[in-house]
mmCIF file with all atom_site columns, all heavy atoms in Angstrom:
data_model
loop_
_atom_site.group_PDB
_atom_site.id
_atom_site.type_symbol
_atom_site.label_atom_id
_atom_site.label_alt_id
_atom_site.label_comp_id
_atom_site.label_asym_id
_atom_site.label_entity_id
_atom_site.label_seq_id
_atom_site.pdbx_PDB_ins_code
_atom_site.Cartn_x
_atom_site.Cartn_y
_atom_site.Cartn_z
_atom_site.occupancy
_atom_site.B_iso_or_equiv
_atom_site.pdbx_formal_charge
_atom_site.auth_seq_id
_atom_site.auth_comp_id
_atom_site.auth_asym_id
_atom_site.auth_atom_id
_atom_site.pdbx_PDB_model_num
ATOM 1   N N   . VAL A 1 186 ? 22.239 -33.601 11.881 1.00 0.00 ? 186 VAL A N   1
ATOM 2   C CA  . VAL A 1 186 ? 22.065 -32.901 10.610 1.00 0.00 ? 186 VAL A CA  1
ATOM 3   C C   . VAL A 1 186 ? 21.274 -31.604 10.808 1.00 0.00 ? 186 VAL A C   1
ATOM 4   O O   . VAL A 1 186 ? 21.480 -30.624 10.084 1.00 0.00 ? 186 VAL A O   1
ATOM 5   C CB  . VAL A 1 186 ? 21.373 -33.823 9.579  1.00 0.00 ? 186 VAL A CB  1
ATOM 6   C CG1 . VAL A 1 186 ? 19.934 -34.119 9.981  1.00 0.00 ? 186 VAL A CG1 1
ATOM 7   C CG2 . VAL A 1 186 ? 21.425 -33.213 8.187  1.00 0.00 ? 186 VAL A CG2 1
ATOM 8   N N   . ALA A 1 187 ? 20.368 -31.576 11.777 1.00 0.00 ? 187 ALA A N   1
ATOM 9   C CA  . ALA A 1 187 ? 19.626 -30.349 12.082 1.00 0.00 ? 187 ALA A CA  1
ATOM 10  C C   . ALA A 1 187 ? 20.411 -29.462 13.026 1.00 0.00 ? 187 ALA A C   1
ATOM 11  O O   . ALA A 1 187 ? 20.449 -28.234 12.875 1.00 0.00 ? 187 ALA A O   1
ATOM 12  C CB  . ALA A 1 187 ? 18.269 -30.698 12.689 1.00 0.00 ? 187 ALA A CB  1
ATOM 13  N N   . LEU A 1 188 ? 21.056 -30.064 13.998 1.00 0.00 ? 188 LEU A N   1
ATOM 14  C CA  . LEU A 1 188 ? 21.781 -29.293 15.013 1.00 0.00 ? 188 LEU A CA  1
ATOM 15  C C   . LEU A 1 188 ? 22.904 -28.454 14.407 1.00 0.00 ? 188 LEU A C   1
ATOM 16  O O   . LEU A 1 188 ? 23.155 -27.335 14.840 1.00 0.00 ? 188 LEU A O   1
ATOM 17  C CB  . LEU A 1 188 ? 22.355 -30.237 16.075 1.00 0.00 ? 188 LEU A CB  1
ATOM 18  C CG  . LEU A 1 188 ? 21.315 -30.963 16.941 1.00 0.00 ? 188 LEU A CG  1
ATOM 19  C CD1 . LEU A 1 188 ? 21.986 -32.063 17.749 1.00 0.00 ? 188 LEU A CD1 1
ATOM 20  C CD2 . LEU A 1 188 ? 20.620 -29.978 17.856 1.00 0.00 ? 188 LEU A CD2 1
ATOM 21  N N   . VAL A 1 189 ? 23.562 -28.990 13.389 1.00 0.00 ? 189 VAL A N   1
ATOM 22  C CA  . VAL A 1 189 ? 24.657 -28.261 12.737 1.00 0.00 ? 189 VAL A CA  1
ATOM 23  C C   . VAL A 1 189 ? 24.156 -26.931 12.188 1.00 0.00 ? 189 VAL A C   1
ATOM 24  O O   . VAL A 1 189 ? 24.806 -25.889 12.336 1.00 0.00 ? 189 VAL A O   1
ATOM 25  C CB  . VAL A 1 189 ? 25.285 -29.114 11.608 1.00 0.00 ? 189 VAL A CB  1
ATOM 26  C CG1 . VAL A 1 189 ? 26.205 -28.262 10.740 1.00 0.00 ? 189 VAL A CG1 1
ATOM 27  C CG2 . VAL A 1 189 ? 26.067 -30.275 12.202 1.00 0.00 ? 189 VAL A CG2 1
ATOM 28  N N   . ASP A 1 190 ? 22.984 -26.952 11.562 1.00 0.00 ? 190 ASP A N   1
ATOM 29  C CA  . ASP A 1 190 ? 22.437 -25.729 10.974 1.00 0.00 ? 190 ASP A CA  1
ATOM 30  C C   . ASP A 1 190 ? 21.857 -24.797 12.026 1.00 0.00 ? 190 ASP A C   1
ATOM 31  O O   . ASP A 1 190 ? 21.932 -23.571 11.896 1.00 0.00 ? 190 ASP A O   1
ATOM 32  C CB  . ASP A 1 190 ? 21.358 -26.075 9.942  1.00 0.00 ? 190 ASP A CB  1
ATOM 33  C CG  . ASP A 1 190 ? 21.949 -26.686 8.675  1.00 0.00 ? 190 ASP A CG  1
ATOM 34  O OD1 . ASP A 1 190 ? 23.130 -26.398 8.382  1.00 0.00 ? 190 ASP A OD1 1
ATOM 35  O OD2 . ASP A 1 190 ? 21.253 -27.439 7.992  1.00 0.00 ? 190 ASP A OD2 1
ATOM 36  N N   . VAL A 1 191 ? 21.247 -25.351 13.065 1.00 0.00 ? 191 VAL A N   1
ATOM 37  C CA  . VAL A 1 191 ? 20.652 -24.504 14.098 1.00 0.00 ? 191 VAL A CA  1
ATOM 38  C C   . VAL A 1 191 ? 21.738 -23.799 14.912 1.00 0.00 ? 191 VAL A C   1
ATOM 39  O O   . VAL A 1 191 ? 21.536 -22.687 15.392 1.00 0.00 ? 191 VAL A O   1
ATOM 40  C CB  . VAL A 1 191 ? 19.708 -25.326 14.992 1.00 0.00 ? 191 VAL A CB  1
ATOM 41  C CG1 . VAL A 1 191 ? 19.130 -24.469 16.118 1.00 0.00 ? 191 VAL A CG1 1
ATOM 42  C CG2 . VAL A 1 191 ? 18.564 -25.894 14.155 1.00 0.00 ? 191 VAL A CG2 1
ATOM 43  N N   . ARG A 1 192 ? 22.893 -24.421 15.047 1.00 0.00 ? 192 ARG A N   1
ATOM 44  C CA  . ARG A 1 192 ? 24.007 -23.732 15.712 1.00 0.00 ? 192 ARG A CA  1
ATOM 45  C C   . ARG A 1 192 ? 24.349 -22.435 14.966 1.00 0.00 ? 192 ARG A C   1
ATOM 46  O O   . ARG A 1 192 ? 24.711 -21.432 15.573 1.00 0.00 ? 192 ARG A O   1
ATOM 47  C CB  . ARG A 1 192 ? 25.238 -24.649 15.780 1.00 0.00 ? 192 ARG A CB  1
ATOM 48  C CG  . ARG A 1 192 ? 25.083 -25.821 16.728 1.00 0.00 ? 192 ARG A CG  1
ATOM 49  C CD  . ARG A 1 192 ? 26.297 -26.732 16.670 1.00 0.00 ? 192 ARG A CD  1
ATOM 50  N NE  . ARG A 1 192 ? 27.442 -26.122 17.333 1.00 0.00 ? 192 ARG A NE  1
ATOM 51  C CZ  . ARG A 1 192 ? 27.788 -26.361 18.592 1.00 0.00 ? 192 ARG A CZ  1
ATOM 52  N NH1 . ARG A 1 192 ? 27.076 -27.203 19.331 1.00 0.00 ? 192 ARG A NH1 1
ATOM 53  N NH2 . ARG A 1 192 ? 28.829 -25.786 19.123 1.00 0.00 ? 192 ARG A NH2 1
ATOM 54  N N   . LYS A 1 193 ? 24.217 -22.472 13.637 1.00 0.00 ? 193 LYS A N   1
ATOM 55  C CA  . LYS A 1 193 ? 24.458 -21.257 12.850 1.00 0.00 ? 193 LYS A CA  1
ATOM 56  C C   . LYS A 1 193 ? 23.423 -20.183 13.187 1.00 0.00 ? 193 LYS A C   1
ATOM 57  O O   . LYS A 1 193 ? 23.725 -18.980 13.169 1.00 0.00 ? 193 LYS A O   1
ATOM 58  C CB  . LYS A 1 193 ? 24.412 -21.570 11.349 1.00 0.00 ? 193 LYS A CB  1
ATOM 59  C CG  . LYS A 1 193 ? 25.524 -22.494 10.851 1.00 0.00 ? 193 LYS A CG  1
ATOM 60  C CD  . LYS A 1 193 ? 25.409 -22.700 9.357  1.00 0.00 ? 193 LYS A CD  1
ATOM 61  C CE  . LYS A 1 193 ? 26.551 -23.575 8.817  1.00 0.00 ? 193 LYS A CE  1
ATOM 62  N NZ  . LYS A 1 193 ? 26.459 -24.965 9.281  1.00 0.00 ? 193 LYS A NZ  1
ATOM 63  N N   . SER A 1 194 ? 22.205 -20.597 13.492 1.00 0.00 ? 194 SER A N   1
ATOM 64  C CA  . SER A 1 194 ? 21.169 -19.637 13.869 1.00 0.00 ? 194 SER A CA  1
ATOM 65  C C   . SER A 1 194 ? 21.506 -18.967 15.197 1.00 0.00 ? 194 SER A C   1
ATOM 66  O O   . SER A 1 194 ? 21.234 -17.779 15.389 1.00 0.00 ? 194 SER A O   1
ATOM 67  C CB  . SER A 1 194 ? 19.810 -20.337 13.973 1.00 0.00 ? 194 SER A CB  1
ATOM 68  O OG  . SER A 1 194 ? 19.384 -20.799 12.721 1.00 0.00 ? 194 SER A OG  1
ATOM 69  N N   . VAL A 1 195 ? 22.085 -19.719 16.116 1.00 0.00 ? 195 VAL A N   1
ATOM 70  C CA  . VAL A 1 195 ? 22.521 -19.123 17.382 1.00 0.00 ? 195 VAL A CA  1
ATOM 71  C C   . VAL A 1 195 ? 23.593 -18.071 17.118 1.00 0.00 ? 195 VAL A C   1
ATOM 72  O O   . VAL A 1 195 ? 23.548 -16.953 17.656 1.00 0.00 ? 195 VAL A O   1
ATOM 73  C CB  . VAL A 1 195 ? 23.059 -20.204 18.345 1.00 0.00 ? 195 VAL A CB  1
ATOM 74  C CG1 . VAL A 1 195 ? 23.602 -19.560 19.621 1.00 0.00 ? 195 VAL A CG1 1
ATOM 75  C CG2 . VAL A 1 195 ? 21.970 -21.209 18.692 1.00 0.00 ? 195 VAL A CG2 1
ATOM 76  N N   . THR A 1 196 ? 24.541 -18.420 16.259 1.00 0.00 ? 196 THR A N   1
ATOM 77  C CA  . THR A 1 196 ? 25.602 -17.466 15.908 1.00 0.00 ? 196 THR A CA  1
ATOM 78  C C   . THR A 1 196 ? 25.023 -16.232 15.231 1.00 0.00 ? 196 THR A C   1
ATOM 79  O O   . THR A 1 196 ? 25.431 -15.098 15.508 1.00 0.00 ? 196 THR A O   1
ATOM 80  C CB  . THR A 1 196 ? 26.624 -18.143 14.973 1.00 0.00 ? 196 THR A CB  1
ATOM 81  O OG1 . THR A 1 196 ? 27.155 -19.308 15.615 1.00 0.00 ? 196 THR A OG1 1
ATOM 82  C CG2 . THR A 1 196 ? 27.773 -17.190 14.647 1.00 0.00 ? 196 THR A CG2 1
ATOM 83  N N   . PHE A 1 197 ? 24.043 -16.440 14.347 1.00 0.00 ? 197 PHE A N   1
ATOM 84  C CA  . PHE A 1 197 ? 23.360 -15.320 13.682 1.00 0.00 ? 197 PHE A CA  1
ATOM 85  C C   . PHE A 1 197 ? 22.756 -14.376 14.716 1.00 0.00 ? 197 PHE A C   1
ATOM 86  O O   . PHE A 1 197 ? 22.922 -13.144 14.633 1.00 0.00 ? 197 PHE A O   1
ATOM 87  C CB  . PHE A 1 197 ? 22.275 -15.868 12.752 1.00 0.00 ? 197 PHE A CB  1
ATOM 88  C CG  . PHE A 1 197 ? 21.303 -14.834 12.243 1.00 0.00 ? 197 PHE A CG  1
ATOM 89  C CD1 . PHE A 1 197 ? 21.603 -14.065 11.130 1.00 0.00 ? 197 PHE A CD1 1
ATOM 90  C CD2 . PHE A 1 197 ? 20.074 -14.639 12.868 1.00 0.00 ? 197 PHE A CD2 1
ATOM 91  C CE1 . PHE A 1 197 ? 20.702 -13.113 10.654 1.00 0.00 ? 197 PHE A CE1 1
ATOM 92  C CE2 . PHE A 1 197 ? 19.172 -13.700 12.400 1.00 0.00 ? 197 PHE A CE2 1
ATOM 93  C CZ  . PHE A 1 197 ? 19.490 -12.934 11.293 1.00 0.00 ? 197 PHE A CZ  1
ATOM 94  N N   . CYS A 1 198 ? 22.059 -14.933 15.686 1.00 0.00 ? 198 CYS A N   1
ATOM 95  C CA  . CYS A 1 198 ? 21.431 -14.104 16.719 1.00 0.00 ? 198 CYS A CA  1
ATOM 96  C C   . CYS A 1 198 ? 22.466 -13.307 17.493 1.00 0.00 ? 198 CYS A C   1
ATOM 97  O O   . CYS A 1 198 ? 22.269 -12.111 17.781 1.00 0.00 ? 198 CYS A O   1
ATOM 98  C CB  . CYS A 1 198 ? 20.608 -14.978 17.670 1.00 0.00 ? 198 CYS A CB  1
ATOM 99  S SG  . CYS A 1 198 ? 19.138 -15.708 16.920 1.00 0.00 ? 198 CYS A SG  1
ATOM 100 N N   . HIS A 1 199 ? 23.579 -13.944 17.818 1.00 0.00 ? 199 HIS A N   1
ATOM 101 C CA  . HIS A 1 199 ? 24.636 -13.225 18.534 1.00 0.00 ? 199 HIS A CA  1
ATOM 102 C C   . HIS A 1 199 ? 25.194 -12.084 17.683 1.00 0.00 ? 199 HIS A C   1
ATOM 103 O O   . HIS A 1 199 ? 25.438 -10.979 18.183 1.00 0.00 ? 199 HIS A O   1
ATOM 104 C CB  . HIS A 1 199 ? 25.765 -14.185 18.920 1.00 0.00 ? 199 HIS A CB  1
ATOM 105 C CG  . HIS A 1 199 ? 25.385 -15.179 19.973 1.00 0.00 ? 199 HIS A CG  1
ATOM 106 N ND1 . HIS A 1 199 ? 24.390 -14.952 20.899 1.00 0.00 ? 199 HIS A ND1 1
ATOM 107 C CD2 . HIS A 1 199 ? 25.882 -16.419 20.249 1.00 0.00 ? 199 HIS A CD2 1
ATOM 108 C CE1 . HIS A 1 199 ? 24.287 -15.990 21.708 1.00 0.00 ? 199 HIS A CE1 1
ATOM 109 N NE2 . HIS A 1 199 ? 25.178 -16.898 21.327 1.00 0.00 ? 199 HIS A NE2 1
ATOM 110 N N   . GLN A 1 200 ? 25.372 -12.340 16.399 1.00 0.00 ? 200 GLN A N   1
ATOM 111 C CA  . GLN A 1 200 ? 25.975 -11.335 15.521 1.00 0.00 ? 200 GLN A CA  1
ATOM 112 C C   . GLN A 1 200 ? 25.070 -10.124 15.319 1.00 0.00 ? 200 GLN A C   1
ATOM 113 O O   . GLN A 1 200 ? 25.554 -8.999  15.180 1.00 0.00 ? 200 GLN A O   1
ATOM 114 C CB  . GLN A 1 200 ? 26.326 -11.963 14.166 1.00 0.00 ? 200 GLN A CB  1
ATOM 115 C CG  . GLN A 1 200 ? 27.503 -12.930 14.237 1.00 0.00 ? 200 GLN A CG  1
ATOM 116 C CD  . GLN A 1 200 ? 27.797 -13.610 12.911 1.00 0.00 ? 200 GLN A CD  1
ATOM 117 O OE1 . GLN A 1 200 ? 26.929 -13.735 12.054 1.00 0.00 ? 200 GLN A OE1 1
ATOM 118 N NE2 . GLN A 1 200 ? 29.038 -14.061 12.732 1.00 0.00 ? 200 GLN A NE2 1
#
Side-chain angles (χ1 to χ4, degrees):
V186 67
L188 294 169
V189 168
D190 288 334
V191 177
R192 290 176 73 96
K193 295 182 177 68
S194 294
V195 176
T196 303
F197 167 84
C198 292
H199 291 334
Q200 289 177 336

